[in-house]
């Protein structure tokens, strides 16, 4: 049955139309696959211009509620992308165009180092003639060791931070094991644990990192692992203080329930974080697997991260990879080494770190100007409370601003709702975005 849109839509602005249609979708009045009226049809029914309806359609499309099929019309969106998990589908929404896309959590491409020189060095030096060669080229391994945040037994290179996390979890947990996770945290962490049959134990984070009191309670459940993001935590942008890291290490060392537990740290924003480098490996090197990713600082498509920890565990990871991809391309390793040692690339990454820090500061100041307590966060993202997640996504999209839904980042339902904002992609318009977020904040 076709809804009587004229009776259901009181606010005839693009934002009002988008919000009304969104309510029809979320309440089930409009089902996946249902065809929507054309912009001319709905414009005539509502007494507004086709351009007004078109703006509303774009807003809903940008948050993944509807999709255009060209001349066939616009339809309520069904399953967005079949190769993505449900959490990541919700996180990604619809990757179409928007005036300000602050949803992706990716680095600003204008701040990444130029690959020209590094690529030229590959043809001069790359070459592998045996499947049994060392998995990490010696110059890169030496550089990684010199830059590691603590004295580590062994380091290898893998295909990005999630690959490192997946390989680590495969070695340290079994079906039914309990794993402590930050709440909120990165949705693919939850998906990986679900795939492995692990039971998540959520522990909240505060302004200094993982809550130590809640950690003590969680340890009583006998977890096999703890997953931490020590800096620029995704989605909150919080970075753990050295004092908090030391406190957590003391708790783990003194707890009889944590005797065999492994800590997996994902320092995914290592190169662009403005916070002090910190790792529990400084106090507990025998039980920490530390991941350092270069996606945010040097480019996501390099697909490269370093994984360091006890030699026994690193050797297990390397041996397992030899039965799959074998190793991370030594050509890509050569590119990374050149980027890590080239003065131009090092300067570019340092400049990017300064720019991201400045953008976070300007955003925090703009939020404070709209009357909200907004401490400056780190890295690319920040975490904003809203009155209603779906309403906020649609209303912001109607203003040309796309952010990420907060629910996939949470371990379970709660009384508060959030969105994640990739401040790292906000080059200007700080007051405008802050005002738009203030309009969807809790009353």
């Amino acid at each position: 049955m076709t809804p009587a849109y004229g009776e259901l839509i009181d606010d005839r602005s693009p934002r009002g139309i988008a919000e009304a249609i969104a309510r029809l979708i979320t309440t089930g009045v409009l089902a996946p696959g249902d065809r929507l009226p054309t912009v001319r049809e709905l414009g005539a029914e509502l007494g507004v211009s086709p351009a007004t309806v078109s703006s509303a359609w774009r807003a809903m499309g940008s948050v993944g509620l509807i999709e255009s099929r060209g001349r066939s019309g616009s339809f309520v969106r069904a399953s967005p992308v079949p190769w993505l998990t449900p959490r990541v589908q919700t996180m990604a929404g619809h990757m179409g165009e928007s005036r300000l896309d602050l949803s992706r959590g990716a680095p600003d491409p204008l701040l990444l180092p130029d690959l020209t020189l590094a690529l030229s060095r590959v043809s001069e030096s790359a070459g592998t003639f045996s499947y049994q060669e060392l998995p990490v080229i010696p110059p890169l391994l030496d550089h990684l060791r010199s830059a590691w945040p603590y004295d580590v037994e062994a380091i290898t290179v893998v295909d990005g931070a999630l690959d490192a996390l997946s390989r680590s979890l495969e070695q340290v947990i079994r079906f039914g094991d309990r794993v402590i996770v930050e709440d909120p945290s990165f949705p693919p962490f939850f998906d990986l644990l679900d795939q492995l049959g692990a039971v998540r134990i959520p522990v909240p984070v505060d302004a200094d990192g993982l809550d130590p009191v809640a950690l003590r309670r969680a340890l009583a459940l006998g977890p096999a692992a703890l997953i931490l993001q020590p800096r620029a935590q995704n989605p909150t942008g919080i970075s753990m203080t050295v004092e908090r890291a030391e406190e957590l290490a003391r708790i783990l060392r003194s707890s009889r329930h944590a005797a065999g537990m492994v800590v997996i740290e994902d320092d995914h924003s290592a190169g662009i974080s403005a916070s002090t480098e910190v790792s529990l490996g400084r106090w507990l090197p025998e039980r920490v697997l530390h991941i350092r990713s270069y996606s945010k600082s040097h480019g996501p498509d390099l697909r490269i991260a370093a994984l360091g920890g006890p030699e026994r565990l690193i050797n297990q990871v390397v041996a397992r990879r030899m039965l799959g991809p074998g190793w991370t391309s030594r050509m890509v390793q050569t590119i990374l080494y050149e980027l890590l040692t080239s003065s131009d690339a090092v300067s570019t990454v340092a400049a990017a770190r300064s720019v991201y820090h400045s953008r976070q500061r300007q955003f925090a100041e703009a939020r404070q100007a709209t009357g909200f307590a907004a401490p400056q966060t780190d890295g690319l993202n920040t975490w904003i409370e809203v009155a209603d997640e779906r309403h906020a996504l649609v209303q912001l999209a109607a203003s040309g601003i796309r952010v990420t839904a907060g629910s996939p980042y949470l371990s379970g339902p709660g009384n508060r709702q959030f969105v994640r904002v990739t401040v790292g992609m906000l080059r200007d318009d700080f007051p405008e975005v802050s005002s738009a977020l203030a309009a969807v904040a809790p009353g």
Side-chain angles (χ1 to χ4, degrees):
M1 180 178 176
T2 302
Y5 294 103
E7 299 176 6
L8 297 170
I9 301 175
D10 297 323
D11 182 350
R12 307 291 169 95
S13 68
R15 178 180 296 174
I17 296 169
E19 291 175 356
I21 300 296
R23 285 192 294 271
L24 295 178
I25 293 171
T26 55
T27 58
V29 175
L30 290 172
D34 281 355
R35 186 181 184 279
L36 298 168
T38 68
V39 294
R40 293 189 181 278
E41 290 169 347
L42 187 57
E45 184 175 350
L46 299 179
V48 299
S49 71
T52 298
V53 179
S54 181
S55 296
W57 263 214
R58 283 196 299 273
M60 289 186 291
S62 71
V63 295
L65 287 175
I66 69 173
E67 62 181 343
S68 173
R69 299 179 188 170
R71 293 183 179 180
S72 298
S74 296
F75 295 79
V76 178
R77 194 171 178 85
S79 178
V81 186
W83 61 84
L84 296 178
T85 65
R87 284 191 188 91
V88 178
Q89 287 181 12
T90 304
M91 197 172 91
H94 176 62
M95 295 311 224
E97 294 297 323
S98 61
R99 184 173 56 84
L100 277 175
D101 188 351
L102 308 179
S103 70
R104 303 191 186 216
D108 187 337
L110 299 181
L111 300 179
L112 296 173
D114 187 352
L115 299 181
T116 304
L117 181 59
L119 288 170
S120 71
R121 298 289 176 85
V122 171
S123 60
E124 297 174 8
S125 59
T128 294
F129 305 103
S130 169
Y131 290 103
Q132 285 76 46
E133 289 187 24
L134 292 172
V136 186
I137 60 173
L140 178 59
L141 181 58
D142 290 343
H143 182 86
L144 293 173
R145 281 193 174 279
S146 68
W148 214 250
Y150 61 96
D151 187 14
V152 66
E153 282 188 357
I155 297 175
T156 192
V157 168
V158 294
D159 299 336
L162 274 179
D163 185 40
L165 179 68
S166 176
R167 302 286 178 181
S168 300
L169 288 171
E170 288 172 354
Q171 298 305 320
V172 302
I173 69 169
R174 298 294 179 265
F175 190 92
D177 280 350
R178 296 183 172 95
V179 177
I180 297 175
V181 294
E182 298 163 320
D183 189 22
S185 192
F186 192 41
F189 293 178
F190 302 158
D191 290 331
L192 277 172
L193 293 172
D194 291 348
Q195 287 282 330
L196 293 168
V199 178
R200 285 181 277 124
I201 308 175
V203 171
V205 295
D206 60 24
D208 295 327
L210 198 71
D211 184 327
V213 175
L215 174 63
R216 288 184 188 276
R217 290 196 297 266
L219 289 175
L221 298 174
L226 160 63
I227 303 175
L228 283 177
Q229 299 176 73
R231 292 192 290 178
Q233 199 261 3
N234 191 353
T236 64
I238 289 168
S239 285
M240 188 186 307
T241 63
V242 174
E243 293 76 16
R244 176 60 58 82
E246 186 173 11
E247 182 179 6
L248 297 180
R250 283 198 304 269
I251 291 171
L252 295 178
R253 186 185 293 113
S254 63
S255 172
R256 62 184 177 86
H257 301 291
M261 192 186 77
V262 174
V263 179
I264 306 174
E265 297 176 335
D266 177 17
D267 195 8
H268 55 83
S269 294
I272 61 166
S273 171
S275 300
T276 302
E277 191 171 42
V278 61
S279 169
L280 270 65
R282 175 177 167 185
W283 300 277
L284 303 170
E286 73 284 354
R287 64 168 77 181
V288 172
L289 286 167
H290 186 80
I291 302 164
R292 169 169 281 192
S293 171
Y294 298 93
S295 293
K296 304 292 194 309
S297 54
H298 294 80
D301 203 43
L302 284 178
R303 307 311 306 140
I304 194 166
L307 172 65
E311 188 171 20
R312 173 183 61 86
L313 291 176
I314 297 300
N315 284 343
Q316 289 174 6
V317 169
V318 172
R320 177 62 185 89
R321 290 188 84 226
M322 290 301 294
L323 301 177
W327 61 87
T328 297
S329 166
R330 292 180 179 88
M331 291 186 287
V332 175
Q333 293 186 45
T334 300
I335 293 171
L336 178 62
Y337 175 71
E338 294 296 333
L339 293 173
L340 293 175
T341 56
S342 158
S343 58
D344 287 345
V346 170
S347 296
T348 298
V349 172
R353 182 166 55 249
S354 178
V355 170
Y356 290 131
H357 181 72
S358 175
R359 289 176 181 177
Q360 289 279 15
R361 176 182 53 77
Q362 291 179 76
F363 183 72
E365 291 172 352
R367 288 276 293 159
Q368 291 163 6
T370 59
F372 291 88
Q376 180 176 338
T377 49
D378 188 22
L380 299 179
N381 303 301
T382 198
W383 189 236
I384 305 293
E385 186 172 3
V386 295
D388 180 88
E389 177 187 293
R390 176 64 71 184
H391 171 83
L393 292 174
V394 173
Q395 184 164 332
L396 290 167
S399 300
I401 302 167
R402 184 160 67 220
V403 298
T404 312
S407 51
Y409 296 83
L410 298 167
S411 274
N415 296 324
R416 301 167 68 191
Q417 298 189 42
F418 299 84
V419 295
R420 189 196 69 174
V421 182
T422 301
V423 180
M425 280 300 297
L426 189 56
R427 297 166 185 160
D428 48 33
D429 296 324
F430 297 96
E432 177 194 354
V433 173
S434 298
S435 295
L437 286 165
V440 296

mmCIF file of all heavy atoms in Angstrom, residues 108-130:
data_model
loop_
_atom_site.group_PDB
_atom_site.id
_atom_site.type_symbol
_atom_site.label_atom_id
_atom_site.label_comp_id
_atom_site.label_asym_id
_atom_site.label_seq_id
_atom_site.Cartn_x
_atom_site.Cartn_y
_atom_site.Cartn_z
ATOM 1 N N ASP A 108 43.536 12.061 5.214
ATOM 2 C CA ASP A 108 43.377 13.036 4.141
ATOM 3 C C ASP A 108 44.410 12.727 3.060
ATOM 4 O O ASP A 108 45.619 12.769 3.325
ATOM 5 C CB ASP A 108 43.596 14.449 4.700
ATOM 6 C CG ASP A 108 43.284 15.544 3.684
ATOM 7 O OD1 ASP A 108 43.322 15.255 2.472
ATOM 8 O OD2 ASP A 108 43.027 16.683 4.104
ATOM 9 N N PRO A 109 43.980 12.404 1.836
ATOM 10 C CA PRO A 109 44.961 12.049 0.794
ATOM 11 C C PRO A 109 45.942 13.165 0.481
ATOM 12 O O PRO A 109 47.047 12.902 0.014
ATOM 13 C CB PRO A 109 44.082 11.703 -0.413
ATOM 14 C CG PRO A 109 42.752 12.305 -0.131
ATOM 15 C CD PRO A 109 42.598 12.301 1.350
ATOM 16 N N LEU A 110 45.548 14.419 0.770
ATOM 17 C CA LEU A 110 46.453 15.540 0.507
ATOM 18 C C LEU A 110 47.630 15.581 1.481
ATOM 19 O O LEU A 110 48.606 16.294 1.238
ATOM 20 C CB LEU A 110 45.683 16.862 0.579
ATOM 21 C CG LEU A 110 44.540 17.039 -0.423
ATOM 22 C CD1 LEU A 110 43.888 18.405 -0.242
ATOM 23 C CD2 LEU A 110 45.018 16.853 -1.851
ATOM 24 N N LEU A 111 47.538 14.802 2.564
ATOM 25 C CA LEU A 111 48.584 14.830 3.586
ATOM 26 C C LEU A 111 49.496 13.602 3.552
ATOM 27 O O LEU A 111 50.379 13.468 4.397
ATOM 28 C CB LEU A 111 47.945 14.951 4.976
ATOM 29 C CG LEU A 111 47.084 16.196 5.214
ATOM 30 C CD1 LEU A 111 46.496 16.181 6.612
ATOM 31 C CD2 LEU A 111 47.892 17.462 4.976
ATOM 32 N N LEU A 112 49.291 12.712 2.586
ATOM 33 C CA LEU A 112 50.124 11.518 2.481
ATOM 34 C C LEU A 112 51.412 11.827 1.721
ATOM 35 O O LEU A 112 51.430 12.677 0.833
ATOM 36 C CB LEU A 112 49.361 10.408 1.758
ATOM 37 C CG LEU A 112 48.110 9.880 2.471
ATOM 38 C CD1 LEU A 112 47.369 8.904 1.572
ATOM 39 C CD2 LEU A 112 48.479 9.223 3.796
ATOM 40 N N PRO A 113 52.496 11.134 2.038
ATOM 41 C CA PRO A 113 53.765 11.401 1.344
ATOM 42 C C PRO A 113 53.727 10.954 -0.118
ATOM 43 O O PRO A 113 53.008 10.017 -0.482
ATOM 44 C CB PRO A 113 54.788 10.589 2.147
ATOM 45 C CG PRO A 113 53.992 9.546 2.853
ATOM 46 C CD PRO A 113 52.651 10.137 3.110
ATOM 47 N N ASP A 114 54.499 11.618 -0.943
ATOM 48 C CA ASP A 114 54.645 11.284 -2.360
ATOM 49 C C ASP A 114 55.413 9.967 -2.487
ATOM 50 O O ASP A 114 56.467 9.781 -1.873
ATOM 51 C CB ASP A 114 55.398 12.415 -3.060
ATOM 52 C CG ASP A 114 55.449 12.244 -4.573
ATOM 53 O OD1 ASP A 114 55.032 11.178 -5.063
ATOM 54 O OD2 ASP A 114 55.921 13.169 -5.257
ATOM 55 N N LEU A 115 54.899 9.049 -3.303
ATOM 56 C CA LEU A 115 55.521 7.734 -3.454
ATOM 57 C C LEU A 115 56.520 7.667 -4.606
ATOM 58 O O LEU A 115 57.145 6.621 -4.815
ATOM 59 C CB LEU A 115 54.443 6.668 -3.692
ATOM 60 C CG LEU A 115 53.403 6.461 -2.587
ATOM 61 C CD1 LEU A 115 52.449 5.348 -2.994
ATOM 62 C CD2 LEU A 115 54.064 6.134 -1.266
ATOM 63 N N THR A 116 56.688 8.744 -5.351
ATOM 64 C CA THR A 116 57.482 8.687 -6.582
ATOM 65 C C THR A 116 58.887 8.161 -6.352
ATOM 66 O O THR A 116 59.339 7.212 -7.005
ATOM 67 C CB THR A 116 57.558 10.082 -7.226
ATOM 68 O OG1 THR A 116 56.232 10.562 -7.452
ATOM 69 C CG2 THR A 116 58.292 10.008 -8.551
ATOM 70 N N LEU A 117 59.604 8.752 -5.403
ATOM 71 C CA LEU A 117 60.981 8.336 -5.159
ATOM 72 C C LEU A 117 61.032 6.916 -4.615
ATOM 73 O O LEU A 117 61.873 6.109 -5.040
ATOM 74 C CB LEU A 117 61.660 9.302 -4.179
ATOM 75 C CG LEU A 117 63.134 8.985 -3.854
ATOM 76 C CD1 LEU A 117 63.979 9.005 -5.133
ATOM 77 C CD2 LEU A 117 63.669 9.988 -2.832
ATOM 78 N N ALA A 118 60.129 6.596 -3.680
ATOM 79 C CA ALA A 118 60.122 5.258 -3.096
ATOM 80 C C ALA A 118 59.840 4.203 -4.157
ATOM 81 O O ALA A 118 60.454 3.128 -4.158
ATOM 82 C CB ALA A 118 59.084 5.176 -1.979
ATOM 83 N N LEU A 119 58.942 4.502 -5.086
ATOM 84 C CA LEU A 119 58.630 3.544 -6.152
ATOM 85 C C LEU A 119 59.826 3.342 -7.074
ATOM 86 O O LEU A 119 60.072 2.233 -7.556
ATOM 87 C CB LEU A 119 57.423 4.026 -6.952
ATOM 88 C CG LEU A 119 56.065 3.934 -6.234
ATOM 89 C CD1 LEU A 119 54.989 4.656 -7.033
ATOM 90 C CD2 LEU A 119 55.668 2.480 -6.016
ATOM 91 N N SER A 120 60.570 4.393 -7.297
ATOM 92 C CA SER A 120 61.736 4.260 -8.181
ATOM 93 C C SER A 120 62.797 3.357 -7.572
ATOM 94 O O SER A 120 63.543 2.691 -8.288
ATOM 95 C CB SER A 120 62.325 5.641 -8.483
ATOM 96 O OG SER A 120 62.967 6.186 -7.339
ATOM 97 N N ARG A 121 62.886 3.324 -6.245
ATOM 98 C CA ARG A 121 63.884 2.493 -5.580
ATOM 99 C C ARG A 121 63.542 1.001 -5.667
ATOM 100 O O ARG A 121 64.425 0.163 -5.542
ATOM 101 C CB ARG A 121 64.000 2.893 -4.114
ATOM 102 C CG ARG A 121 64.449 4.318 -3.889
ATOM 103 C CD ARG A 121 65.916 4.512 -4.258
ATOM 104 N NE ARG A 121 66.323 5.888 -4.129
ATOM 105 C CZ ARG A 121 66.727 6.448 -2.999
ATOM 106 N NH1 ARG A 121 66.773 5.736 -1.891
ATOM 107 N NH2 ARG A 121 67.098 7.716 -2.966
ATOM 108 N N VAL A 122 62.261 0.684 -5.854
ATOM 109 C CA VAL A 122 61.860 -0.718 -5.915
ATOM 110 C C VAL A 122 62.537 -1.420 -7.080
ATOM 111 O O VAL A 122 63.071 -2.521 -6.962
ATOM 112 C CB VAL A 122 60.328 -0.837 -6.031
ATOM 113 C CG1 VAL A 122 59.925 -2.276 -6.306
ATOM 114 C CG2 VAL A 122 59.669 -0.359 -4.744
ATOM 115 N N SER A 123 62.530 -0.779 -8.247
ATOM 116 C CA SER A 123 63.109 -1.415 -9.433
ATOM 117 C C SER A 123 64.613 -1.623 -9.285
ATOM 118 O O SER A 123 65.193 -2.479 -9.936
ATOM 119 C CB SER A 123 62.823 -0.563 -10.673
ATOM 120 O OG SER A 123 63.394 0.726 -10.533
ATOM 121 N N GLU A 124 65.232 -0.826 -8.411
ATOM 122 C CA GLU A 124 66.674 -0.954 -8.225
ATOM 123 C C GLU A 124 67.040 -2.095 -7.293
ATOM 124 O O GLU A 124 68.081 -2.728 -7.456
ATOM 125 C CB GLU A 124 67.238 0.342 -7.633
ATOM 126 C CG GLU A 124 67.068 1.569 -8.530
ATOM 127 C CD GLU A 124 67.510 2.833 -7.810
ATOM 128 O OE1 GLU A 124 68.076 2.701 -6.710
ATOM 129 O OE2 GLU A 124 67.281 3.933 -8.331
ATOM 130 N N SER A 125 66.169 -2.393 -6.307
ATOM 131 C CA SER A 125 66.614 -3.280 -5.237
ATOM 132 C C SER A 125 65.718 -4.478 -4.969
ATOM 133 O O SER A 125 66.156 -5.420 -4.321
ATOM 134 C CB SER A 125 66.760 -2.478 -3.935
ATOM 135 O OG SER A 125 65.520 -1.894 -3.592
ATOM 136 N N ALA A 126 64.469 -4.465 -5.399
ATOM 137 C CA ALA A 126 63.561 -5.545 -5.019
ATOM 138 C C ALA A 126 63.855 -6.805 -5.818
ATOM 139 O O ALA A 126 64.103 -6.762 -7.012
ATOM 140 C CB ALA A 126 62.117 -5.121 -5.243
ATOM 141 N N GLY A 127 63.817 -7.913 -5.148
ATOM 142 C CA GLY A 127 64.014 -9.176 -5.834
ATOM 143 C C GLY A 127 64.023 -10.308 -4.839
ATOM 144 O O GLY A 127 64.774 -10.277 -3.862
ATOM 145 N N THR A 128 63.163 -11.299 -5.039
ATOM 146 C CA THR A 128 63.093 -12.444 -4.154
ATOM 147 C C THR A 128 63.191 -13.698 -5.002
ATOM 148 O O THR A 128 62.404 -13.892 -5.922
ATOM 149 C CB THR A 128 61.764 -12.436 -3.366
ATOM 150 O OG1 THR A 128 61.764 -11.318 -2.498
ATOM 151 C CG2 THR A 128 61.631 -13.696 -2.531
ATOM 152 N N PHE A 129 64.137 -14.552 -4.694
ATOM 153 C CA PHE A 129 64.367 -15.733 -5.519
ATOM 154 C C PHE A 129 64.188 -17.026 -4.729
ATOM 155 O O PHE A 129 64.511 -18.095 -5.219
ATOM 156 C CB PHE A 129 65.776 -15.668 -6.120
ATOM 157 C CG PHE A 129 66.016 -14.384 -6.882
ATOM 158 C CD1 PHE A 129 66.760 -13.366 -6.322
ATOM 159 C CD2 PHE A 129 65.445 -14.191 -8.119
ATOM 160 C CE1 PHE A 129 66.959 -12.175 -7.007
ATOM 161 C CE2 PHE A 129 65.638 -13.003 -8.813
ATOM 162 C CZ PHE A 129 66.401 -11.999 -8.262
ATOM 163 N N SER A 130 63.688 -16.919 -3.493
ATOM 164 C CA SER A 130 63.465 -18.113 -2.687
ATOM 165 C C SER A 130 62.235 -17.904 -1.819
ATOM 166 O O SER A 130 62.011 -16.817 -1.289
ATOM 167 C CB SER A 130 64.675 -18.401 -1.789
ATOM 168 O OG SER A 130 64.363 -19.405 -0.838
#
